[in-house]
Amino acid sequence: MKPIILVIVSLSFAAASIMTAEQISIVQASFDEVKGDPVGILYACLKADPSIQEKFPQFAGKDLEVVKGTPEFKTHAKRIVGYSLKVIYELPDMERDVDTFVASHKPRGITHEQLDNFRAGFVTYMKAHTDFAKSESAWGASLDNFFGMIKSKM
Ligand code: HEM
């Protein structure tokens, strides 16, 4: 039994890495560049995995190219960007925001694969809209921490 407990403890430590103050300010400045395009960000995240869109009753079964132009899509996109801004401006402390996310999203039956694909869609967006090479490793650290903590809780 003891070795198993040790493995679990070491894995949970491995999931979180300490972010430097420089990495945090790079991520904040980088997100500031794109926060005015919530619709484009959500579109990229849903485009990466159509099964994510199917979880939204208001978007399920509809053409993403049409849905992205609706007021409902804009409203949800603003909620996601607002939440992300909160997490990013509270770095490196994200546990309370992660717990809020897990409390509302765990009952939605979201898989780890969907979380990975959502993340990949976001990175695709950032590569297309920012000079991502400059911020890639800082984003890598913050996304590893955010999604790692979520996955350990759901
Ligand atoms: C990866 C797959 C995901 C799925 C399938 C999913 C699904 C959903 C659904 C169905 C809702 C309710 C929408 C409504 O009632 O109008 C929702 C709400 C929300 N989602 Fe997600 N979501 C995912 C990932 C994310 C991520 C990564 C973030 C943050 C970066 C996020 C942030 C939010 C926020 C802020 C809300 C509104 C508050 C709430 O109901 O929790 N979601 N999501």
Side-chain angles (χ1 to χ4, degrees), residues 114-135:
Q114 286 173 323
L115 290 168
D116 290 344
N117 292 337
F118 191 103
R119 171 185 176 157
F122 175 71
V123 169
T124 300
Y125 177 91
M126 294 303 288
K127 283 184 173 164
H129 293 87
T130 65
D131 186 359
F132 197 64
K134 281 188 192 158
S135 59

Side-chain angles (χ1 to χ4, degrees), residues 18-72:
I18 294 166
M19 289 186 70
T20 65
E22 192 191 1
Q23 283 178 316
I24 291 170
S25 60
I26 288 172
V27 164
Q28 289 170 345
S30 169
F31 198 68
D32 275 349
E33 285 179 42
V34 299
K35 67 185 180 189
D37 183 24
V39 166
I41 294 172
L42 180 60
Y43 171 80
C45 296
L46 299 195
K47 181 93 178 159
D49 181 347
S51 79
I52 299 176
Q53 187 182 329
E54 292 310 304
K55 290 277 184 186
F56 290 85
Q58 67 273 46
F59 308 143
K62 296 180 182 161
D63 181 351
L64 180 59
E65 303 307 318
V66 176
V67 162
K68 74 174 183 186
T70 63
E72 293 78 17

